[in-house]
Amino acid sequence: MKKKEKFPEMGCVADELLEKLPSIKHDDAGWEDGKIFGFVYHPGNDHARISEAYFRAFMYDSTLNPSTFPSLRNFEKNIISMATELMHGNSSVAGNVTTGGTESIFLALKVARDLAREKEGKRDGNSESEGNGKREGTCFEVILPETIHPAFLKACDHLSLQAIMVPVREDKRADPKAMEEVITKQTIMMCCSAPCFPFGVVDPVTPIAKIAKKHKLLCHVDACMGGFMLPFLEDIGYSIPMFDFRVPGVTSISMDAHKYGYAPKGTSIILYRNRAMRKKQFFVHTDWSGGIFASTTFMGTKSGGPVAGCWAIMNHLGKSGYRKLAGEVMKTTRSLIMGIQSLDSLKVISDPDMSVLAFTSTKGDIYNIGDALESKGWHLDRLQFPEALHLTVTQLNIGKEDAFLKDLTEIVGNKEILDKDQKAMNISVKMAKGFTKVLPGPVVEKVSKILGRVMGGKSGGKQAALYGISASFSNRKDVKKLVVNLLDGMY
Ligand SMILES: Cc1ncc(COP(=O)(O)O)c(C=O)c1O
């Protein structure tokens, strides 16, 4: 595709545009071959055609006004009641379908903030303290284990909440005691994951929720990853730590249908212990010349396609379909874990509770291994702290475990591949290090340009260079600037 395309004066005929489609997609990750770990959660063509048909039928319809398209409202109500059942909620539980995990998390934090404002009888932030015990000039605090998804930090940023990050235990699970120790009069909520994205482990929800209850705080469980996986694993006999509404003190749960729910992108669910909480989520403006405006979630207008596709896939797969998929994905995951552990230079971090895992290397640079895997067509995420590769195993990867392990074994046993990549990377790392030692600030701009060149070409290539360079900055603000510049350059 041309870099800067002009808005055409005359439209392009349909056939011509349709012909272009494959070449436009040419450089995108080709997930159909099952070599991508994460990003795409596809139920398989036989199942996907049902959600596609429903998606298409409703894609131009809008969910904004609940009475204009009653079928969309019914889809949403049914999805919420199915999700509530999955999370063992009772009839008081209420929720909505959102566009993704980020929105669900944002809404849970907004509800927490607005309930706290109501309780305190004042707005947070810099308002005067009127004998309510709050420190002046500070804002409400949310306690987060350091492995929690950045969507929480983004939400805190947007909502003017203070994120209090707490280190996790050695086993990478949240540390309830350490979380309790940072509770202050400003604290409004404690959060945890089921499971966390980096290491796939479920946090100890029961003690965290107990602490939250004791201190009269809300407790949010982020089950964006596990919401459509853990209940089915429990059904088929896996030992899963309790994380849902069965746990006293859990007040809200986020769960993504567009991950292991295998629904189209743009579908997540936010559930609250009761309707009073959900009411705090709604936005109503009564005085607009355009009429009384009301919306349930963050978005205004949104397509009916995702919610319809989500309802269709949930009904089509049913619990038995999800159980079958979960079992097969888990079998693949276990084979991958065993294969990775059998290579003596590699180590799976902690003990993942489901199909999300990370591994490190004691020999060579793990990011080089990632780049070498990438050159063989495998797409994996990179972690930092510790440096590791990350796998989200989905339906697409079933049956691919042997091919992956064969390639991985070959790579970790081939010094030549590693050394070659390392040499290329070391040059850029040295340059970045040299720059940052002399002039850390302005030089970031220069490094961004270098990085732009190193990363050029196919998407995702040479990520070792990106992480090598970013690790060389002693000041994390420089890394932030570097990434902002990179993003700016990409669009
Ligand atoms: C545990 C967890 N929570 C939240 C999110 C954010 O979800 P989304 O990307 O749908 O906004 C993710 C995304 O990967 C996640 O893994």
Side-chain angles (χ1 to χ4, degrees):
M1 229 193 303
K2 272 182 265 166
K3 270 211 175 122
K4 273 198 179 158
E5 216 168 69
K6 282 223 156 42
F7 196 161
E9 184 57 41
M10 300 300 289
C12 188
V13 291
D15 283 349
E16 209 177 299
L17 272 179
L18 292 173
E19 228 169 81
K20 271 189 189 176
L21 235 166
S23 66
I24 288 173
K25 277 187 128 253
H26 183 261
D27 283 345
D28 298 349
W31 48 266
E32 292 88 349
D33 61 4
K35 293 178 99 173
I36 192 162
F37 289 99
F39 295 104
V40 179
Y41 299 77
H42 194 270
N45 289 335
D46 280 351
H47 300 311
R49 71 190 171 85
I50 310 298
S51 49
E52 280 166 16
Y54 269 74
F55 187 101
R56 227 176 293 123
F58 291 90
M59 64 191 275
Y60 279 103
D61 298 352
S62 170
T63 61
L64 184 59
N65 186 331
S67 49
T68 314
F69 298 100
S71 57
L72 292 177
R73 179 164 44 100
N74 282 331
F75 285 146
E76 181 158 352
K77 280 168 65 178
N78 288 334
I79 291 168
I80 294 305
S81 75
M82 289 188 273
T84 301
E85 188 186 327
L86 217 49
M87 294 295 108
H88 296 95
N90 61 22
S91 58
S92 305
V93 166
N96 282 102
V97 173
T98 72
T99 54
T102 302
E103 189 184 354
S104 294
I105 290 160
F106 176 90
L107 293 171
L109 266 63
K110 178 204 134 45
V111 166
R113 186 198 64 178
D114 291 357
L115 282 170
R117 280 178 173 174
E118 190 176 71
K119 203 163 120 197
E120 295 302 326
K122 73 175 183 81
R123 295 181 77 80
D124 59 322
N126 297 311
S127 59
E128 348 47 77
S129 63
E130 294 167 338
N132 50 27
K134 300 279 176 193
R135 288 193 301 271
E136 216 174 319
T138 55
C139 57
F140 294 132
E141 293 169 358
V142 178
I143 299 175
L144 308 169
E146 65 186 353
T147 48
I148 203 111
H149 193 274
F152 284 83
L153 297 162
K154 190 176 182 177
C156 284
D157 190 32
H158 285 291
L159 293 163
S160 297
L161 295 169
Q162 181 70 44
I164 306 295
M165 304 302 286
V166 181
V168 293
R169 303 184 313 212
E170 194 107 322
D171 63 0
K172 301 293 178 196
R173 295 172 203 270
D175 184 341
K177 196 166 163 284
M179 289 174 78
E180 184 168 24
E181 277 165 11
V182 296
I183 293 175
T184 69
K185 286 181 175 168
Q186 301 298 125
T187 308
I188 58 171
M189 186 185 237
M190 298 176 83
C191 303
C192 49
S193 314
C196 70
F197 173 85
F199 311 111
V201 294
V202 176
D203 287 331
V205 176
T206 303
I208 293 170
K210 191 171 173 196
I211 293 166
K213 203 163 186 237
K214 183 174 101 186
H215 293 270
K216 297 192 171 53
L217 302 171
L218 298 176
C219 176
H220 181 81
V221 177
D222 179 22
C224 281
M225 267 290 175
F228 279 87
M229 188 74 182
L230 298 172
F232 300 114
L233 290 179
E234 190 182 336
D235 281 356
I236 57 174
Y238 283 87
S239 165
I240 302 296
M242 197 103 89
F243 70 96
D244 56 25
F245 285 120
R246 283 173 291 182
V247 180
V250 168
T251 50
S252 54
I253 299 176
S254 46
M255 53 192 286
D256 285 358
H258 67 193
K259 292 191 173 75
Y260 285 99
Y262 295 106
K265 293 267 187 295
T267 47
S268 171
I269 295 151
I270 176 70
L271 296 176
Y272 301 100
R273 181 69 83 170
N274 56 54
R275 292 171 82 151
M277 287 184 78
R278 185 176 63 175
K279 281 185 184 169
K280 282 280 161 214
Q281 177 192 284
F282 298 160
F283 177 83
V284 178
H285 181 56
T286 52
D287 305 331
W288 184 37
S289 50
I292 293 175
F293 181 92
S295 82
T296 52
T297 57
F298 182 79
M299 299 289 282
T301 298
K302 72 181 178 204
S303 164
V307 74
C310 178
W311 179 88
I313 197 71
M314 286 175 80
N315 274 278
H316 176 58
L317 286 175
K319 286 184 191 165
S320 63
Y322 281 110
R323 249 177 242 131
K324 186 167 176 288
L325 280 174
E328 288 170 5
V329 165
M330 218 38 208
K331 221 170 120 202
T332 299
T333 307
R334 290 275 159 107
S335 303
L336 286 167
I337 290 178
M338 272 171 57
I340 293 167
Q341 300 277 38
S342 73
L343 298 168
D344 64 1
S345 57
L346 302 182
K347 190 180 174 313
V348 172
I349 300 172
S350 191
D351 188 12
D353 289 303
M354 52 171 264
S355 43
V356 178
L357 64 122
F359 64 96
T360 53
S361 167
T362 50
K363 275 188 218 150
D365 191 309
I366 191 74
Y367 297 144
N368 286 345
I369 296 172
D371 282 353
L373 281 166
E374 196 123 351
S375 70
K376 288 178 181 284
W378 299 99
H379 293 264
L380 292 86
D381 270 323
R382 274 70 169 167
L383 300 190
Q384 53 177 353
F385 317 130
E387 292 175 359
L389 297 179
H390 182 272
L391 299 167
T392 305
V393 185
T394 71
Q395 184 282 136
L396 287 170
N397 310 119
I398 296 170
K400 307 292 173 201
E401 49 273 38
D402 289 347
F404 176 79
L405 290 169
K406 185 171 163 285
D407 284 349
L408 182 64
T409 309
E410 212 175 286
I411 288 163
V412 295
N414 190 334
K415 272 181 84 44
E416 235 176 78
I417 297 176
L418 295 181
D419 289 347
K420 195 171 149 213
D421 273 3
Q422 258 170 348
K423 264 183 218 147
M425 192 190 83
N426 280 344
I427 296 165
S428 37
V429 172
K430 264 187 203 151
M431 282 170 88
K433 276 190 173 155
F435 279 138
T436 51
K437 262 184 215 147
V438 191
L439 263 178
V443 130
V444 177
E445 309 275 349
K446 259 188 194 170
V447 178
S448 309
K449 281 193 189 131
I450 295 167
L451 200 50
R453 284 201 297 273
V454 175
M455 304 249 318
K458 281 202 165 193
S459 58
K462 295 279 179 285
Q463 291 207 35
L466 170 65
Y467 281 93
I469 289 176
S470 75
S472 74
F473 289 113
S474 55
N475 183 349
R476 301 304 289 172
K477 277 192 188 147
D478 291 339
V479 180
K480 189 170 170 179
K481 200 167 170 192
L482 173 96
V483 176
V484 168
N485 285 344
L486 262 175
L487 280 178
D488 185 48
M490 279 177 175
Y491 289 93

